[in-house]
């Protein structure tokens, strides 16, 4: 597991720096440096084996079932990159200690940095492509945090988001590409995939996998046309730019191309896609870099250009180009990080990065100036420095490349890019450090503390050393790395020498220098010409795309969610109709064989009334009272239908429910406007009517299709088993409390919760705005006698009778129509009558049982009865029954289901009474205030709709 | 313990809690004890149920001891057991979090019994093996959710409540029509029995139509395109704990019902099913995420992401291979935890920053970095970033899409996940990074409130991280659940083959 540690130590070490923020900043820096150093040491311990040609592997399972293992491998390529990441990381940590200001939270900075470092090392050491994707996304995320480190700056935030959206999006493409690649190769292990290159390239999945992987690599490495995010990422503090956006993260894409080279390269598609993208990026980046004024922007676009160069080289499909690419990765990492840090020093000391304001700094800060001069010269490709060598090799490789049979195109364009590179390098160095100072600084800038320039110096040493002695110093590393890239294909011998003789590359190089001198002389003319050309501004385009997408989303969303209930209902019904129709027409439909029964006169009459009531509802729906009456007509017809089909229980239930709901609704209507608001538009009504009719016809057709066929049903069993199994002859009741008692169980809870919901709903009506509206409401004229004596007397006489009836209905339920539900409704109606006749206060004062307690008790009784069967080792709700001989009553059957039924009874009564009493309370509030004199000034409230059923506390309510 | 008890307990525990806390009306302290005890008991019971289901495979219990298909059967397979377990977790998290803010008023209006009733309905829906019984549970959920939505209601909540109730009633009515028709065609309601009888009906047109009626009924519950209007109309008005449990459970019951019925009963009933499911999945993913892009209120953004992610689950159901179903299962489990957590964090963000509107928030990262981290974990998980739970769900769904010949769905899923990331970045940049707006900010979260609010958030974030890092057992469970769903035989045998003693 040592290999895994190299990635995990920085990841876990990320917790350390924030813990030390109470100590000095140096301690925090050491807390970040320690894990890096440790990881570097572990890596170094593995190095000899890798140099010896060995590939170190380690593997552990993570999620084997989806082909993800925690496996790492260390070969030349991995060692090379990991060394770069950790080595430069160490320098950056030292540099950032001095770079960041006192007010910057440095602990967080180092935490992000280590997170990034670990993820990056993870990418280069992964031996599993999914693991690689995991680390890949982690680098995107940590780079987001680092770019947005100065999140009080809008540029920082926006640059961070753009980077994450572009690279994160690429990461998703990469994920898909890797899955396809894994499918093509039959494994998710990288070493397996690399060994099966032939297979992969022959697979039909090669092309999509290639495109997706390249999308991931190109976005990460800022290849044209995805290059635009990188310059905006420069809003990050300079150590971040130096580390992520020149030395490491942006090279992840290049790394991926190198890593997968044995599997994916070697085809024409690879050559065209990769090398041309690289070439275009190289040119575009260099061209833009030449005209930028911000030091970091120049470096950013130059980085884009150099990344393009590496990509192009890897796209050439030749071993010599791979060697050049690897060598350039190494060289670029050294001189570009040095240049970024130099730019950071300039910014730190002068507080500007605008090249138009700088100049002559060499004399003020000679050390920095010298270092930047050397690194800049290397970037330009001046001989005796490392940049020269790899540029020569690039030009060499480009001179050999043929595009569409033409050997000149690539070579010429590569020379042009080299030319531009010389030009912007010269402009960078001379514009900043030489010439006349262009600003009178208040405090003349001076040499920074060594903590800032030492890391630069450390990087400049290899720039010179490799430049002078390439073979001995860089040769083994490059050879080892390039061999790992090329894989089984093998490589030509690696020869890194200073002098190759007069080669085409040398000629091209000289041409580039001469051209660059000419270009710099004419720079002002060129600039003027450039300004006349159309220059696409990537950020503006990105922002415009995002803005357009958001605007589109808003339009779409606004169109979808209008908040209009009728429209929503219309859409839903149409959608259901559409899929229902699709389902019906998508298969063959055989008409049923059952004979159609003759239509009797009563049935026809009921049907006509039903249809008429529904039609009346649709027409008169604005009148709420009429609506209620017509709805109850529908309910009555339905109960008649139940009677007709021998279900008296259901009919009784339906009628009782109708009574209760009608009364409750009438009470509620009292508080509402008499009519609903008018709906505009005949066209809309016609449209809605058409939708409704179509849905109704659809449902009818389906019902017809179902009912014209015979089928075998479970109710046969219910009828047979009702008496022997359930102990009752009324099969409907036995179904309700026994066969399907569990449904009833759920339904009584629904009832109880409905009562609670009414409670929650109306509790608010007595407070705040709703209460003020109630207070403002003026009730219509109340009939002279709110509580007619006859009604009071009649209901009180009826009460015991009704309760007896309820008890009777309850008891006989198991064998004859009845049961707890109906009995509960009857009892509830009897109680409601008391409330209506004698007033709420009178009745409430006499109520012994709180409705909520009744509901709770009812549910508990039902539940405990069901659980009682557990005591006998039976499942929930298993019923038992027996016959007992009681004095007077004689033979009586008692079933445990009756206890269950009692629970149902209590819940029903409680729920109805609770609903009633809440509505009554609201009404009382309205009435009391409606007659208060101070309300006379308020606008008149809506007239009452329903005839008055007074729930007002009568003056004489307390008399009896 | 007997399996009969184990299956019934997750339904009975919240039931007893509901009844007791209703009976203890007005005695908040006692109600709290009931709720916390019930949540703990439900966690234990569901853990035992998962263990039993892992050990015995699919288990069933016949209510009232009537042999299937004549009575009602409760069934627990891996999917159902896992869903019950996650419900228990949500119950506990919501119950604790609700104590942090505004608790007295909410309790006075019936918070405890309503919450228990919702959990009761949800658990019932997961465990039932009977189509009509499922309808009953839908009703329980509907009425309990309505009650919770209007708790402490102002005009906004009432408007939301009415829309919620009307649109959901339409959906349940369509569901009920479907149940009636299916009974008319097959003469049975037991799901396992239906699975046997539906292919024998011989009236494929009617069966196909019924299948889609049920799909529409469940789909409206699950808030799929174009039946989702109730969700954006309602969720953004609810208090944080209410929104959290809604976001976690309500839509997922719809998805669960789709999985259950379409993997068990309507297998191959209509050639259109995969196409309709796939099309609906894609449209749901896209419209949801675009809706999120259009909004600048955290709760609205989060609500639209629910819709979008329902689409991911449907992708799994549309492809319907064992791997795809496993992906859907993994995704559901992940999504419940993450989505609830985001709503809970949003509540804490409002408390700290004073608003749900992004325009009025800012500077939270500097003020309360822990809050930032606690937001980042579920937010990045939602966007599917590794190594968090959302990545695995997404990975499996996409993998099954690529292997199951539905690459276009995988492509849509990937594009949508990028937009999701963008949307989370929007919240992060506005609420956490941006400079705070002028004016006095509310005081920092402190003391007990912080503990009560962030305790559940931390717990759920740890679950997300656990699934993310220690993925294997969850992946194994999801794959086994996928196999069970796609296999069908185990379920049918457990129900009809005398599974109960």
């Amino acid at each position: 597991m040592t290999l895994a540690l190299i990635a995990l130590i920085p990841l876990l070490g990320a917790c350390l720096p924030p813990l030390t923020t109470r100590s000095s900043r140096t301690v925090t820096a050491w807390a970040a440096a320690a894990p890096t150093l440790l990881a570097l040491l572990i890596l170094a311990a593995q190095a000899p084996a890798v140099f010896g040609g060995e590939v170190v592997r380690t593997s552990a399972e993570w999620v084997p079932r989806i082909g993800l293992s925690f496996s790492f491998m260390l070969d030349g390529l991995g060692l090379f990159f990991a060394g770069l990441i950790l080595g430069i990381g160490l320098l950056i940590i030292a540099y950032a200690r001095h770079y960041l200001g006192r007010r910057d939270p440095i602990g967080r900075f180092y935490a992000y940095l280590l997170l990034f470092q670990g993820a990056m090392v993870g990418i280069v050491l992964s031996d599993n492509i999914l693991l690689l994707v995991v680390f890949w996304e982690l680098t995107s995320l940590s780079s987001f945090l680092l770019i947005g480190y100065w999140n009080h700056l809008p540029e920082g935030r926006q640059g961070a988001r753009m980077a994450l959206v572009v690279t994160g999006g690429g990461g998703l493409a990469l994920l898909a590409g890797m899955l396809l690649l894994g499918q093509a190769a039959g494994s998710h292990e990288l070493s397996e995939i690399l060994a099966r290159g032939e297979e992969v390239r022959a697979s039909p999945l090669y092309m999509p996998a290639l495109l997706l992987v390249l999308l991931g690599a190109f976005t990460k490495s800022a290849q044209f046309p995805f290059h635009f995010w990188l310059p905006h990422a420069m809003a990050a503090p300079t150590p971040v730019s130096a580390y992520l956006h020149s030395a490491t993260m942006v090279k992840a894409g290049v790394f991926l191309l190198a890593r997968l080279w044995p599997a994916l390269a070697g085809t024409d598609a690879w050559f065209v896609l990769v090398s041309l993208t690289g070439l275009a990026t190289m040119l575009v980046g260099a061209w833009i870099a030449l005209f930028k004024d911000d030091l970091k922007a120049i470096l950013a676009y130059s980085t884009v250009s150099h990344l393009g160069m590496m990509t192009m080289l890897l796209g050439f499909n030749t071993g010599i180009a791979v060697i050049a690419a690897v060598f350039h990765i190494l060289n670029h990492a050294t001189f570009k990080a040095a240049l970024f840090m130099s730019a950071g020093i300039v910014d730190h000391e002068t507080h500007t990065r605008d090249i138009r304001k700088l100049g002559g700094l060499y004399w003020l800060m000679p050390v920095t100036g010298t270092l930047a001069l050397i690194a800049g010269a290397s970037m330009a490709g001046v001989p005796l420095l490392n940049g020269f060598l790899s540029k020569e090799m690039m030009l060499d490789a480009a001179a050999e490349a043929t595009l569409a049979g033409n050997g000149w195109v690539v070579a010429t364009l590569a020379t042009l890019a080299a030319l531009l590179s010389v030009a912007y390098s010269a402009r960078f160095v001379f514009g900043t450090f030489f010439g006349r100072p262009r600003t009178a600084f208040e405090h003349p800038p001076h040499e920074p503390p060594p903590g800032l320039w030492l890391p630069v110096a450390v990087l400049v040493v290899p720039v010179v050393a490799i430049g002078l002695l390439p073979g001995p110093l860089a040769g083994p590393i490059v050879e080892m790395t390039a061999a790992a890239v090329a894989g089984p294909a093998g490589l030509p011998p690696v020869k890194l020498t200073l002098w190759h003789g007069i080669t085409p590359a040398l000629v091209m190089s000289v041409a580039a220098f001469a051209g660059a001198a000419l270009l710099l002389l004419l720079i002002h003319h060129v600039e003027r010409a450039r300004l006349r050309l159309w220059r696409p501004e990537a950020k503006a385009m990105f922002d415009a795309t995002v803005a357009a997408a958001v605007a589109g989303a808003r339009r779409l969303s606004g169109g979808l969610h209008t908040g209009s209930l009728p429209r929503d209902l219309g859409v839903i019904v149409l959608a259901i109709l559409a899929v229902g129709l699709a389902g019906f027409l998508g298969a063959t439909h055989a008409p049923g064989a059952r004979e159609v029964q003759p239509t009797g006169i009563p049935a026809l009459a009921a049907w006509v009334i039903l249809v008429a009531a529904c039609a009346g509802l649709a027409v008169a729906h604005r009148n709420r009272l009429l609506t209620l009456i017509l709805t109850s007509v529908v309910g009555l017809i339905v109960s008649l239908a139940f009677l007709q089909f021998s279900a008296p229980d259901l009919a009784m239930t339906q009628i009782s429910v109708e009574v209760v709901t009608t009364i409750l609704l009438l009470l509620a209507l009292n508080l509402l406007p008499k009519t609903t608001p008018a709906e505009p538009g005949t066209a809309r009504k016609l449209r809605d009517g058409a939708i409704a009719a179509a849905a109704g016809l659809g449902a009818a057709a389906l019902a017809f299709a179902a009912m014209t066929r015979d089928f075998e049903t479970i109710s046969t069993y219910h009828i047979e088993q009702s008496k022997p199994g359930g102990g009752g002859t009324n099969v409907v009741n036995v179904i309700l409390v026994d066969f399907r008692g569990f449904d009833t169980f759920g339904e009584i809870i629904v009832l109880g919760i409905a009562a609670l919901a009414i409670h929650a709903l109306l509790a608010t009506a007595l407070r705040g705005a709703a209460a003020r509206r109630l207070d403002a409401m003026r009730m219509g004229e109340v009939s002279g006698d709110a509580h007619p004596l006859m009604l009071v007397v009649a209901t009180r006489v009826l009460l015991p009778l009704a309760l007896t009836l309820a008890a009777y209905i309850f008891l006989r339920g198991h064998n004859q129509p009845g049961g707890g539900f109906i009995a509960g409704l009857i009892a509830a109606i009897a109680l409601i009558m008391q409330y209506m006749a004698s007033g709420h206060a009178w009745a409430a004062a006499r109520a012994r049982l709180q409705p909520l307690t009744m509901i709770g008790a009812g549910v508990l009784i039902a539940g405990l009865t069901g659980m009682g069967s557990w005591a006998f080792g039976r499942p929930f709700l298993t019923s038992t029954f027996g016959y007992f001989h009681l004095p007077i009553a004689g033979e009586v059957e008692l079933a445990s289901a009756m206890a269950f039924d009692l629970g149902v009874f209590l819940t029903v009564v409680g729920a109805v009474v609770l609903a009633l009493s809440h509505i009554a309370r609201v009404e009382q509030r309205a009435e009391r205030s409606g007659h208060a004199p101070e309300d006379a000034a308020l606008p008149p409230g809506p007239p009452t709709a329903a005839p008055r059923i007074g729930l007002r506390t009568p003056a004489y309510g307390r008399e009896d | 313990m007997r399996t009969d008890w184990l299956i019934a307990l997750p339904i009975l525990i919240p039931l007893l809690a509901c009844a007791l806390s209703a009976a203890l009306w007005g005695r908040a302290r006692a109600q709290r004890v009931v709720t916390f005890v019930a949540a703990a008991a439900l966690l234990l019971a569901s853990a035992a149920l998962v263990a039993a289901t892992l050990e015995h495979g699919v288990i069933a219990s016949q209510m009232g001891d009537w042999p299937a298909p004549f009575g009602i059967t409760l069934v627990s397979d891996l999917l159902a057991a896992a869903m019950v377990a996650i419900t228990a977790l949500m119950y506990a998290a919501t119950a604790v979090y609700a104590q942090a803010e505004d608790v007295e008023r909410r309790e006075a209006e019936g918070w405890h019994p309503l919450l228990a009733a919702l959990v009761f309905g949800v658990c019932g829906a997961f465990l039932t093996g009977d189509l009509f019984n499922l309808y009953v549970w839908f009703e329980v959920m509907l009425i309990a959710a309505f009650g919770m939505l209007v708790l402490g209601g102002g005009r906004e909540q009432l408007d939301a409540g009415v829309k919620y109730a009307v649109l959901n009633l339409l959906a349940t009515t369509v569901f009920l029509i479907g149940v009636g028709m299916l009974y008319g065609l097959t003469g049975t309601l037991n799901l396992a029995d239906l699975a046997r009888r539906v292919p024998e009906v011989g009236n494929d047109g009617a069966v196909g139509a019924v299948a889609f009626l049920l799909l529409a009924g469940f789909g409206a519950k699950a808030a799929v395109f174009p039946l989702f209007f109730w969700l954006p109309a309602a969720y953004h008005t609810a208090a944080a704990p209410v929104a959290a449990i809604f976001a976690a459970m309500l839509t997922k019951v719809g998805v669960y019902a789709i999985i259950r019925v379409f993997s068990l009963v309507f297998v191959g009933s209509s050639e259109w099913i995969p196409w309709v499911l796939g099309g609906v999945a894609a449209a749901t993913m896209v419209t949801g995420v675009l809706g999120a892009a259009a909004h600048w209120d955290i709760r609205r953004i989060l609500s639209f992401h629910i819709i979008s992610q329902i689409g991911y689950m449907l992708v799994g159901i549309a492809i319907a291979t064992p791997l795809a179903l496993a992906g859907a299962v993994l995704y559901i489990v992940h999504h419940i935890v993450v989505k609830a957590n985001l709503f809970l964090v949003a509540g804490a963000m409002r408390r700290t920053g004073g608003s749900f509107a992004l325009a009025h928030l800012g500077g939270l990262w500097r003020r309360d970095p822990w809050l930032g981290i606690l937001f980042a974990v579920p937010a990045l998980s939602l966007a599917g970033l590794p190594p968090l739970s959302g990545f695995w769900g997404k990975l499996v769904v996409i993998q099954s899409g690529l292997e199951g010949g539905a690459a276009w769905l995988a492509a849509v899923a990937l594009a949508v996940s990028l937009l999701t990331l963008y949307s989370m970045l929007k919240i992060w940049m506005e609420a956490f990074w941006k400079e705070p707006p002028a004016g006095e900010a509310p005081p920092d979260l402190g003391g007990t409130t912080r503990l009560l609010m962030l305790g559940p958030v931390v717990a759920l974030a740890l679950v997300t991280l656990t699934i993310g890092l220690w993925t294997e057992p969850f992946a194994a469970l999801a794959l086994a659940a996928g196999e069970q769903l796609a296999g069908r035989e185990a379920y049918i045998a457990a129900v009809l083959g005398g599974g109960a003693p």
Side-chain angles (χ1 to χ4, degrees), chain A residues 62 65 589 740 743 874, chain B residues 65 130 133 183 203 469 472:
Chain A
W62 188 355
R65 281 161 213 266
H589 167 65
R740 301 193 63 94
D743 280 340
R874 292 279 157 194
Chain B
D65 215 10
D130 186 281
N133 195 236
Y183 182 74
N203 189 359
L469 295 173
E472 180 58 16

Side-chain angles (χ1 to χ4, degrees), chain B residues 291-344:
Chain B
H295 282 98
W296 290 83
D297 176 293
I298 301 179
R299 284 185 299 180
R300 284 184 195 264
I301 294 173
L302 294 178
S303 303
F304 276 102
H305 279 300
I306 302 176
I307 298 176
S308 173
Q309 310 232 300
I310 296 296
Y312 277 88
M313 303 163 198
L314 290 189
V315 172
I317 308 171
I319 298 167
T321 56
L323 183 68
L325 288 169
V329 173
L330 200 56
Y331 208 96
I332 293 173
V333 170
H334 135 76
H335 180 85
I336 289 175
V337 175
V338 158
K339 211 9 133 356
N341 207 7
L342 277 172
F343 272 98
L344 295 181

Side-chain angles (χ1 to χ4, degrees), chain A residues 62-66 68 103 105 108 112 130 133-134 137-138 141 144-145 148-149 151-152 157-158 160-161 164-165 168-169 172 175-176 179-180 183 188 546 550 553-554 556-557 560-561 563 565 567-569 571-573 575-576 579-580 582-584 586-590 699 702-703 705-706 709 711-715 717-718 721 725-726 738-740 742-743 745-747 749-750 753-754 756-757 759-761 763-764 767 773 852-853 856 859-860 863-864 867 870 873-879, chain B residues 2 4-5 8-9 11-12 15-16 18-19 22 25 61-67 69-72 74 105 109 113-114 117 120 130 132-133 136-137 139-140 143-144 147 150-153 155 158 163 167 170 174 181 183-189 197 201-206 208-209 212-213 216 226-229 232 272 276 287 290-291 293-296 304 365 369 380 385-387 391-392 394-396 398-399 402-403 414 417-418 422 425 428-429 433-435 468-469 471-472 475-476 479:
Chain A
W62 188 355
V63 198
R65 281 161 213 266
I66 44 186
L68 171 62
R103 295 185 52 211
R108 286 187 201 175
Y112 304 158
L130 293 180
V133 174
V134 170
E137 297 281 41
L138 270 181
L141 192 63
F144 169 79
L145 291 170
Y149 176 68
N151 51 57
H152 53 278
R157 299 200 294 269
Q158 285 157 15
R161 176 168 65 183
L164 183 52
V165 168
L172 292 171
L175 173 63
L179 286 174
L180 289 176
Q183 223 174 306
H188 286 159
V546 170
V550 170
R554 192 164 293 175
L556 178 83
S557 176
L560 271 176
H561 305 281
L565 198 52
R567 202 209 56 139
D568 292 351
L569 288 170
V571 172
I572 292 174
V573 172
I576 294 171
V579 287
F584 191 76
T588 49
H589 167 65
L702 197 56
R709 306 173 69 85
F711 64 102
E712 197 186 312
T713 145
I714 53 172
S715 57
Y717 175 90
H718 292 157
Q721 287 293 318
D738 204 336
F739 290 118
R740 301 193 63 94
F742 202 56
D743 280 340
F745 188 53
E747 288 294 352
I749 316 283
V750 174
I753 300 301
L756 292 186
H759 187 91
L761 198 59
T764 58
R767 277 203 320 258
R773 269 199 305 283
L852 275 166
T853 320
V859 172
L860 274 179
L864 293 174
M867 280 155 83
W870 286 355
R874 292 279 157 194
F876 186 65
L877 275 183
T878 307
S879 72
Chain B
R2 298 175 53 88
D4 282 331
W5 297 23
L9 271 179
I11 298 176
L12 294 175
L15 170 87
L16 293 179
C18 176
W25 195 270
S61 173
Q62 316 290 352
M63 292 298 94
D65 215 10
W66 295 107
F70 305 109
I72 293 169
L74 293 186
R105 203 196 61 202
E109 288 166 14
L114 286 173
F120 169 69
D130 186 281
F132 182 79
N133 195 236
V136 173
W137 298 119
E139 278 204 326
V140 173
I143 196 76
V150 298
L151 270 187
R155 181 184 277 269
L158 283 184
K163 283 182 181 151
L167 292 171
L170 177 68
V174 172
M181 298 296 174
Y183 182 74
L185 291 167
T186 60
T188 187
L189 292 166
R197 292 212 200 174
V201 167
N203 189 359
D204 296 341
F212 282 115
L213 278 188
L227 315 171
F228 51 35
F229 302 108
W272 285 84
V276 170
T287 46
L290 289 181
H295 282 98
W296 290 83
F304 276 102
W365 183 227
L380 294 175
L385 257 77
F391 176 72
W392 307 115
K394 184 176 82 176
L395 180 69
V396 177
I398 288 169
Q399 196 166 2
L402 292 176
E403 286 174 13
L414 281 171
S417 92
L418 182 61
Y422 186 84
L425 289 184
W428 177 263
M429 289 176 54
W433 270 5
K434 188 181 68 186
E435 290 290 288
L469 295 173
T471 317
E472 180 58 16
L479 285 165

Side-chain angles (χ1 to χ4, degrees), chain A residues 255-329:
Chain A
F255 165 82
L256 191 68
L257 296 180
R259 179 85 285 173
L260 296 175
W261 206 78
L264 296 177
T267 62
D268 287 344
W270 173 272
F271 172 73
V272 171
L273 287 169
V274 179
S275 68
L276 291 190
T277 305
L279 187 60
T281 311
M282 185 160 79
L283 280 167
V284 168
W287 173 254
I288 300 176
L290 184 58
F291 298 101
K292 285 289 165 187
D293 293 319
D294 179 359
L295 293 183
K296 279 175 79 177
I298 298 174
L299 294 177
Y301 280 105
S302 131
T303 305
V304 170
S305 172
H306 282 268
L307 291 168
M309 174 173 154
M310 299 164 202
T311 304
M312 178 185 80
L313 287 170
L314 289 171
F316 281 159
N317 283 338
T318 60
I320 193 85
V322 167
I323 296 170
V326 168
F327 193 29
H328 194 65
I329 291 171

Side-chain angles (χ1 to χ4, degrees), chain A residues 861-906:
Chain A
I861 289 174
L864 293 174
T865 311
M867 280 155 83
S869 51
W870 286 355
F872 304 95
R874 292 279 157 194
F876 186 65
L877 275 183
T878 307
S879 72
T880 178
F881 57 90
Y883 298 90
F884 302 91
H885 189 79
L886 290 183
I888 307 170
E891 186 87 350
V892 166
E893 180 202 353
L894 284 177
S896 70
M898 285 173 78
F900 179 77
D901 225 8
L902 180 67
V904 175
F905 173 84
L906 285 175

